Amino acid sequence: EIVLTQSPATLSLSPGERATLSCRASQSVNTYLAWYQQKTGQAPRLLIHDASNRATGIPARFSGSGSGTDFTLTISSLEPEDFAVYYCQQRSNWPPYTFGQGTKLEIK
Amino acid sequence: QVQLAESGGGVVQPGRSLRLSCAASGFTFSSYGMHWVRQAPGKGLEWVTIIWYDGSKKHYADSVKGRFTISRDNSKSTLYLQMNSLRAEDTAIYYCARGGGYDYGTFDSWGQGTLVTVSS
């Protein structure tokens, strides 16, 4: 089973700042990695698929990069609605599909 | 637009059974693989099971293998999860999710979830 480790666990930033979230895989997942956003009390929402492709309707301030074992989700300038929990997920080696433990992005 | 609506959750005693449903609309249900993903209270996301677009293939997480069964009725655009021998650790919000991409491995649309509580 591929283990995804996200860092940091919590990130405290202010609106307008740049956010950089990391996801590291225990073995290569090529670019078969996605990012999801989950706001409190809501279902997750797909942001990025295949490491760097924004899903439909996702603002351009969200970008993904990486391949192999190291991936980054960047939010270029934080909006108030971006404060949430973010998960990475791999589909390279399954079952099972696995998720990272999440990074909580909170307002500083 | 894509809509997924789960139902069937509730409180159930350990060892008992429950069946969840997920009604799909806004897309051609019979063309997509579908998943169940769960989230224990205050915890992260855990993939549970996938069914192929035509029901021909099914895969399960080890934690539910032999106890849970995924199925679908394409004529009704509905996904199901039969959960037997429920345990306290199965307590979670259960989401159905559409499998996007050529291999159905990206969860591109999610329902609002249904809460299952296993408790005596």
Side-chain angles (χ1 to χ4, degrees):
Chain A
E1 173 176 326
I2 294 178
V3 176
L4 300 178
T5 302
Q6 293 186 239
S7 60
T10 303
L11 184 58
S12 300
L13 294 170
S14 300
E17 290 193 294
R18 181 184 186 90
T20 303
L21 287 67
S22 175
C23 177
R24 176 164 289 178
S26 59
Q27 64 189 76
S28 176
V29 299
N30 199 326
T31 57
Y32 299 127
L33 189 107
W35 290 93
Y36 301 85
Q37 177 194 65
Q38 187 177 32
K39 297 180 181 179
T40 302
Q42 296 186 18
R45 175 176 70 147
L46 176 66
L47 297 176
I48 302 287
H49 62 90
D50 296 300
S52 60
N53 297 285
R54 274 190 304 276
T56 303
I58 301 304
R61 65 181 181 272
F62 291 91
S63 63
S65 63
S67 66
T69 60
D70 290 299
F71 300 86
T72 301
L73 174 69
T74 301
I75 310 172
S76 59
S77 179
L78 286 166
E79 298 287 342
E81 62 267 27
D82 297 337
F83 292 92
V85 179
Y86 292 83
Y87 295 95
C88 56
Q89 172 251 328
Q90 67 81 24
R91 70 176 214 276
S92 173
N93 189 352
W94 64 275
Y97 300 96
T98 52
F99 293 88
Q101 82 281 14
T103 289
K104 181 180 181 181
L105 179 56
E106 65 177 24
I107 299 176
K108 187 174 181 179
Chain B
Q1 72 281 20
V2 175
Q3 291 193 336
L4 299 169
E6 302 92 339
S7 60
V11 180
V12 61
Q13 294 179 329
R16 303 298 290 266
S17 299
L18 204 61
R19 188 175 87 151
L20 306 182
S21 299
C22 170
S25 60
F27 66 102
T28 305
F29 181 73
S30 59
S31 296
Y32 286 84
M34 296 293 297
H35 301 263
W36 289 97
V37 177
R38 68 185 181 182
Q39 186 170 36
K43 302 297 184 182
L45 301 168
E46 179 189 16
W47 172 79
V48 175
T49 179
I50 180 177
I51 186 168
W52 237 238
Y53 68 100
D54 59 355
S56 60
K57 297 180 184 179
K58 305 173 186 180
H59 296 279
Y60 299 91
D62 287 346
S63 58
V64 306
K65 200 173 293 182
R67 300 187 300 121
F68 288 13
T69 302
I70 190 172
S71 62
R72 65 191 299 158
D73 185 337
N74 285 345
S75 68
K76 296 181 178 179
S77 295
T78 302
L79 177 72
Y80 302 101
L81 183 65
Q82 177 67 43
M83 304 186 294
N84 297 333
S85 303
L86 283 161
R87 306 167 180 168
E89 55 264 36
D90 295 320
T91 294
I93 297 172
Y94 285 75
Y95 298 100
C96 64
R98 191 177 77 169
Y102 69 92
D103 59 356
Y104 312 128
T106 300
F107 311 113
D108 68 0
S109 295
W110 298 65
Q112 84 288 351
T114 188
L115 177 62
V116 173
T117 303
V118 183
S119 173
S120 54

